[in-house]
Amino acid sequence: MTETIKRYNANSVVPRKSAFWDSYTPFGIGIERMFDQLDSFVKGDAEGYPPHNIIKVDDHRYQVEMAVAGFSRDDLKIEQVGNELSISATKPECSDDIEYIHRGLGKRPFTKHFTLADDVRVLDSALADGILTINLELVVPEHKQPKTIEIH
C-alpha cells in the first residue's frame, strides 16, 4: 500500500481502487459505494473553469456558487441524476463583427460535476450578478437519526 501512495503522490497517477482500498474493506460492510465515490473524487473535474465556491451555511445547508459571467439563464443547465449534480453551459455562436483587443470573459462551454451524499437534496437555484447559486440541504432520514434503545 505504501508503494501505491508514493506512486500516486510522485506521479499523480490514480491508484487502482483494488490496490488502494482493498486493505480497508474487511472493516466495513456495504461501504464499497463510498470507496467508489472516493475514487471518483480523485478522478473528478480537474479543470478550474468556471471558478466555484462550496459554502457550508449551517449543519444542514450548503451552497454552490459558480462564476458564470456572460451566460444567461437560457445558456445554463442544472441537472441531478442520482447522486451527481451537473452544471453545464453553452453559448450560442454569434456572428458579430466585433474586433476584440482582449477577450477575457469566458464563453466556452463547460460542464462541472459534483457528487452529492445520499441524504443531500437540491432545493433551488438563482442567478444574480453573474453568480449562479445552488442551494442544497442535508435531510437526515429518521432511521439515521440518533435514538435511545430501551433495555429490557
Side-chain angles (χ1 to χ4, degrees), residues 16-75:
R16 281 186 21 245
K17 182 179 74 167
S18 60
F20 187 74
W21 300 120
D22 279 354
S23 60
Y24 296 102
T25 55
F27 305 108
I29 299 168
I31 61 170
E32 301 84 11
R33 185 162 179 249
M34 180 181 68
F35 292 125
D36 291 341
Q37 286 178 330
L38 289 171
D39 263 357
S40 73
F41 294 148
V42 174
K43 299 173 190 172
D45 295 328
E47 186 177 340
Y49 176 78
H52 70 277
N53 297 325
I54 300 175
I55 301 167
K56 183 176 182 178
V57 177
D58 59 33
D59 286 342
H60 296 283
R61 293 181 304 142
Y62 301 87
Q63 285 184 331
V64 174
E65 291 181 329
M66 187 172 293
V68 292
F71 291 99
S72 71
R73 283 177 175 78
D74 294 334
D75 300 331

Side-chain angles (χ1 to χ4, degrees), residues 57-104:
V57 177
D58 59 33
D59 286 342
H60 296 283
R61 293 181 304 142
Y62 301 87
Q63 285 184 331
V64 174
E65 291 181 329
M66 187 172 293
V68 292
F71 291 99
S72 71
R73 283 177 175 78
D74 294 334
D75 300 331
L76 296 164
K77 180 180 178 184
I78 303 169
E79 186 175 49
Q80 181 181 359
V81 177
N83 286 23
E84 185 172 273
L85 175 65
S86 296
I87 301 141
S88 59
T90 54
K91 190 79 174 165
E93 289 294 322
C94 43
S95 60
D96 295 339
D97 293 330
I98 299 172
E99 182 180 343
Y100 289 93
I101 303 299
H102 171 76
R103 191 169 187 167

Side-chain angles (χ1 to χ4, degrees), residues 85-146:
L85 175 65
S86 296
I87 301 141
S88 59
T90 54
K91 190 79 174 165
E93 289 294 322
C94 43
S95 60
D96 295 339
D97 293 330
I98 299 172
E99 182 180 343
Y100 289 93
I101 303 299
H102 171 76
R103 191 169 187 167
L105 293 178
K107 290 188 178 181
R108 66 182 189 262
F110 70 84
T111 301
K112 279 271 201 197
H113 301 282
F114 298 91
T115 302
L116 305 177
D118 288 338
D119 301 328
V120 172
R121 67 183 180 109
V122 178
L123 295 176
D124 57 21
S125 65
L127 179 63
D129 301 324
I131 302 292
L132 175 66
T133 303
I134 301 170
N135 294 302
L136 308 163
E137 180 180 40
L138 175 65
V139 180
V140 181
E142 189 175 325
H143 72 278
K144 290 186 178 181
Q145 294 178 5

